[in-house]
Amino acid sequence: GAGVSQTPSNKVTEKGKYVELRCDPISGHTALYWYRQSLGQGPEFLIYFQGTGAADDSGLPNDRFFAVRPEGSVSTLKIQRTERGDSAVYLCASSMTATGELFFGEGSRLTVL
Amino acid sequence: GDSVTQMEGPVTLSEEAFLTINCTYTATGYPSLFWYVQYPGEGLQLLLKATKADDKGSNKGFEATYRKETTSFHLEKGSVQVSDSAVYFCALRWGAQKLVFGQGTRLTINP
């Protein structure tokens, strides 16, 4: 389809493991956002890319979280030494311009046992 | 910092009832305001928006008016349908910056 694609849709891992979550934005969209949504809460901002560079990473909770977008298209959110508190749905969104409407993917549900 | 507060859910109504979901915001100045909807099994999608004070956003029978006096952006619909059952999120945004979301309100419409 032409929407934002996120993989995997579900990921179960053990505490302490490394996890990668992938986001494939809508073709041509220059801006890409990662959010985290805990159960019963609204999405919380993690990081925003404009092109290849992180324009705002103020939402990353600590240095275990890292995200890249090396070619200005696909982005990967990387979580090291996962903790049970990292369990959440990780949402990706893209927009055509920096001020344009955000289009969200269906999310990647991460469960840390 | 900026924040958004929504009325707590869940909200359960009968079909054809009138809907109001309250949303207030805290911010310095006048950000753009949004309502997003998340239907079961789907991603968040924009429902409506307003970019300046006194603007009214509308879509699919839903409306919300940007009230700077009360710093509010309440969502209303005159006659809800079963298909409106979803989680609704109020949000604010400054230009190219991040969206700041409220905690969401789960709406269930019974036939």
Side-chain angles (χ1 to χ4, degrees), chain B residues 47-68:
Chain B
L47 179 60
L48 54 83
K49 69 178 183 182
T51 57
K52 61 182 187 294
D54 299 325
D55 268 2
K56 178 184 284 188
S58 60
N59 186 24
K60 299 182 179 180
F62 291 89
E63 293 184 339
T65 301
Y66 191 159
R67 303 282 189 202
K68 65 178 181 181

Side-chain angles (χ1 to χ4, degrees), chain A residues 24-79:
Chain A
D24 207 331
I26 294 172
S27 178
H29 280 197
T30 61
L32 186 146
Y33 303 77
W34 283 100
Y35 283 80
R36 177 168 71 174
Q37 187 175 13
S38 300
L39 192 64
Q41 301 297 315
E44 292 179 294
F45 170 78
L46 295 176
I47 187 169
Y48 154 51
F49 287 91
Q50 182 60 44
T52 59
D56 182 356
D57 64 358
S58 62
L60 294 177
N62 52 58
D63 61 6
R64 295 188 297 105
F65 288 75
F66 190 70
V68 295
R69 194 185 186 200
E71 298 178 356
S73 177
V74 170
S75 176
T76 305
L77 179 66
K78 308 181 181 197
I79 310 173

Side-chain angles (χ1 to χ4, degrees), chain A residues 33 35 37 42 45 98 100-101 106, chain B residues 41 46 89 93 96 98-99 102:
Chain A
Y33 303 77
Y35 283 80
Q37 187 175 13
F45 170 78
E101 177 183 346
E106 293 184 25
Chain B
L46 178 65
F89 294 92
R93 187 183 188 197
K98 63 193 179 193
L99 278 162

